[in-house]
Amino acid sequence: MAKVIVVTSGKGGVGKTTTSASIATGLAKRGHKTVVIDFDVGLRNLDLIMGCERRVVYDFVNVLQNEANLKQALIKDKHCDNLFVLPASQTRDKDALTPEGVEKVLNELRENHDFIVCDSPAGIEQGAVMALYFADEAIVVTNPEVSSVRDSDRILGILSAKSKRAAENQEPIKEHLLITRYSPERVSSGEMLSITDIQELLGVKLVGVIPESQTVLQASNSGIPVIHMNDSPSGQAYEDVVARFLGEERPMRFVEPEKKSFLKRLFGT
């Protein structure tokens, strides 16, 4: 039976879709049959980051409304045999997502997959609530800034109160904290919250830290999940996140300021 993972946050622009794409890719690279679903009905960005936007014929809402079946709507990833994408609709309203319809699709996907990654829109509207409602585990994405952390705290409250597990008095959703766009240098200068600050505010176990990097934007523009860029700190950090999520022990990397050589210090570079 597949495990449903929601990638969520309270604030937009923190890297949820980038994270969903890389987490799903990382799981697939490790041999787990994985599907990643875009719940952001009306916007649809996941297919762009996955590089499959030109292959979208049917979408999530088409399946929900019985206009297509899952086999027609699922797009096989170009880089991983075990990975499939279920894109969102750009032309429908978020009200198209109903608990009954979403549960039916998830149950069908559970039969043939190991992991279902739900890429949630930001905030607490219908798409976001539907993305988290059936989750077994949640990756809460936050930037090291006060407004982002505050909004993530609100999402943690919704995870504990509005999920199916909460409604049926089951074991709570297992929560993981992922910090993105982290700059140790800016933390040292007081421009960003530290990892310790964020953990104290949210009280959630840290699954990883993604360093601030232009590589993430370059990967997104190229339609390639950044986890494929093995020589970049961001790609390596996402590989570490997937390993920790699966229970492996990995030290936290890219969380200390870079030690400059004597020449760099001398010339101020």
Side-chain angles (χ1 to χ4, degrees):
M1 183 67 78
K3 185 172 286 184
V4 178
I5 308 161
V6 63
V7 178
T8 185
S9 76
K11 194 173 187 291
V14 299
K16 284 185 306 300
T17 301
T18 294
T19 296
S20 297
S22 284
I23 295 289
T25 298
L27 292 168
K29 284 171 68 179
R30 285 168 166 261
H32 301 285
K33 193 172 182 184
T34 305
V35 58
V36 55
I37 307 174
D38 191 346
F39 273 79
D40 204 353
V41 175
L43 290 178
R44 199 176 91 188
N45 289 314
L46 179 66
D47 54 303
L48 293 170
I49 289 179
M50 299 294 293
C52 62
E53 71 277 7
R54 292 182 184 143
R55 291 190 284 149
V56 176
V57 178
Y58 295 107
D59 56 52
F60 191 13
V61 175
N62 291 138
V63 177
L64 289 172
Q65 298 187 344
N66 296 314
E67 297 164 352
N69 59 45
L70 266 176
K71 191 172 183 180
Q72 291 175 293
L74 286 174
I75 301 170
K76 190 173 183 296
D77 184 69
K78 291 181 284 189
H79 306 288
C80 297
D81 288 339
N82 292 319
L83 182 58
F84 298 84
V85 181
L86 183 56
S89 171
Q90 282 185 309
T91 58
R92 307 295 181 94
D93 189 86
K94 290 179 173 60
D95 290 338
L97 301 178
T98 64
E100 298 77 18
V102 171
E103 184 172 32
K104 182 181 177 184
V105 171
L106 291 178
N107 285 342
E108 191 173 342
L109 288 170
R110 282 180 192 268
E111 294 175 8
N112 300 305
H113 295 83
D114 300 312
F115 291 100
I116 301 167
V117 178
C118 302
D119 180 27
S120 171
I124 56 173
E125 38 85 327
Q126 178 77 353
V129 173
M130 282 297 98
L132 67 83
Y133 186 74
F134 297 100
D136 300 307
E137 302 198 30
I139 296 175
V140 180
V141 184
T142 190
N143 290 161
E145 57 182 57
V146 173
S147 62
S148 182
V149 174
R150 181 192 61 203
D151 290 345
S152 292
D153 199 26
R154 190 177 185 195
I155 283 295
L156 287 168
I158 292 170
L159 284 167
S160 64
K162 288 194 172 183
S163 68
K164 186 172 189 286
R165 285 172 171 266
E168 296 180 357
N169 204 25
Q170 299 177 21
E171 185 179 339
I173 292 173
K174 187 176 180 181
E175 299 162 345
H176 310 267
L177 174 64
L178 179 66
I179 303 171
T180 55
R181 296 180 180 166
Y182 192 79
S183 169
E185 292 76 18
R186 293 177 68 188
V187 170
S188 296
S189 66
E191 297 176 54
M192 284 183 170
L193 295 174
S194 69
I195 294 170
T196 303
D197 292 334
I198 298 168
Q199 285 187 286
E200 286 179 355
L201 288 166
L202 297 180
V204 177
K205 187 175 180 181
L206 186 66
V207 74
V209 177
I210 310 300
E212 192 171 43
S213 171
Q214 284 297 312
T215 308
V216 174
L217 181 60
Q218 293 164 6
S220 297
N221 289 338
S222 302
I224 301 171
V226 71
I227 197 170
H228 282 301
M229 297 189 170
N230 300 322
D231 57 344
S232 74
S234 298
Q236 294 167 22
Y238 272 116
E239 287 280 7
D240 290 347
V241 169
V242 173
R244 291 189 202 99
F245 182 82
L246 293 172
E248 295 180 25
E249 292 289 333
R250 290 277 179 101
M252 288 289 172
R253 297 190 281 173
F254 319 113
V255 296
E256 298 294 336
E258 183 184 358
K259 292 181 179 178
K260 292 187 177 182
S261 67
F262 172 75
L263 289 175
K264 282 187 176 181
R265 291 198 304 271
L266 184 64
F267 292 104
T269 58

